[in-house]
Amino acid sequence: MQYGPAVRRRKLGAELRALRARTGLTSGDAARLVGWHQSKVSRIETGASGVKPADVRLLLDVYGVVETELRELLLILAGSHDGGRDHWWHAYRGVLPPTYRDFISLESQASAMRTLETSVVPGLLQTPEYARAVTRAAVEGLDEERLDALVEVRLARQDVLRAHRPLELTAVLDEAVLRREVGGPEVMARQLRRLVEAGRLPQVRLQVLPFRAGAHIGITGPFVILSFPSTSDLDVVVLDHMTSSLYLERKEDLQAYSEAFNTLRTHALSPEDSLDFIAGIGDDT
């Protein structure tokens, strides 16, 4: 278990090591081709040290990697200037903690997200009013300017669902998410309508885990599984805590959480029944 930056270094190093092996080059060969000492290549591949995006580009050129998606993802893992470009979240650098920036940068490049939510609506599906109420409750002592900025970030993140290649979102929602009144009845009613609308999008699949399902494997808390194009070796599980986020990247962790998510889906209502269930709660609200 490690925090975001360390996970990013290790994942980047492992992928670069695999790409080098694919070409048949030794670490010494790669070092000579880019004009480095062999120990630098070894430190990068083991995640022992960080690496600049420019150095990643050199290695990718030497390894003959031309796939745009893979290059951009590896450059994102290399540092804060994602893919060599400043993205929208850099404007909020003074507002967002590093672990949140890490999450947003990974989310922006992910091809799929699987999430269990036990308390609140997933951030990618929140209405502005709901996002504001949740943020105000979750972060004490916020002034209006900082609150506005955090809500803007939450809403800007939702663009991944409207991209040319949209993120595929599969969410299992505990019934408590739908029953907990956030922001008042009107805000909650609009949020429930928004969930029904989102659940009809081809890239979104919502399933409700009703109270009658009883205790379940996800009862200990929510989690997110991010998957990426081109390689499954970069997939990661994200667990949110009050002051930080924990990133799990071992294959055993990924397998355990993937199996848990599949189990949750079997106990949840079908996507069609889930939308009817959400709409029914909305009518009552």
Side-chain angles (χ1 to χ4, degrees), residues 177-213:
V177 172
L178 312 174
R179 299 289 184 185
R180 178 171 287 103
E181 188 176 287
V182 174
E186 292 184 2
V187 169
M188 200 63 204
R190 285 194 292 271
Q191 178 61 72
L192 293 173
R193 288 196 294 271
R194 166 64 178 144
L195 282 176
V196 173
E197 294 169 359
R200 293 178 177 141
L201 296 173
Q203 68 271 31
V204 176
R205 181 180 291 106
L206 300 181
Q207 289 185 252
V208 174
L209 196 61
F211 288 150
R212 65 174 180 267

Side-chain angles (χ1 to χ4, degrees), residues 73 76 106 184 196-197:
L73 176 57
I76 281 182
L106 291 174
V196 173
E197 294 169 359

Side-chain angles (χ1 to χ4, degrees), residues 137-197:
V139 187
E140 293 185 349
L142 279 179
D143 58 46
E144 287 300 311
E145 183 177 359
R146 184 175 172 84
L147 176 60
D148 289 343
L150 289 173
V151 172
E152 287 175 10
V153 169
R154 182 67 55 89
L155 300 178
R157 283 175 48 203
Q158 298 177 3
D159 285 345
V160 296
L161 296 175
R162 299 184 287 267
H164 175 64
R165 294 182 180 177
L167 178 80
E168 294 182 6
L169 173 63
T170 303
V172 173
L173 309 180
D174 191 279
E175 185 176 341
V177 172
L178 312 174
R179 299 289 184 185
R180 178 171 287 103
E181 188 176 287
V182 174
E186 292 184 2
V187 169
M188 200 63 204
R190 285 194 292 271
Q191 178 61 72
L192 293 173
R193 288 196 294 271
R194 166 64 178 144
L195 282 176
V196 173
E197 294 169 359

Side-chain angles (χ1 to χ4, degrees), residues 2 18 36 42 74 86 176:
Q2 298 185 11
W36 299 342
S42 296
L74 295 180
D86 280 342

Side-chain angles (χ1 to χ4, degrees), residues 45-71:
E45 291 185 352
T46 59
S49 64
V51 55
K52 297 177 181 178
D55 289 344
V56 173
R57 290 190 190 93
L58 282 175
L59 291 173
L60 294 178
D61 290 343
V62 166
Y63 302 155
V65 177
V66 296
E67 301 96 326
T68 302
E69 288 184 342
L70 180 57
R71 287 181 69 98

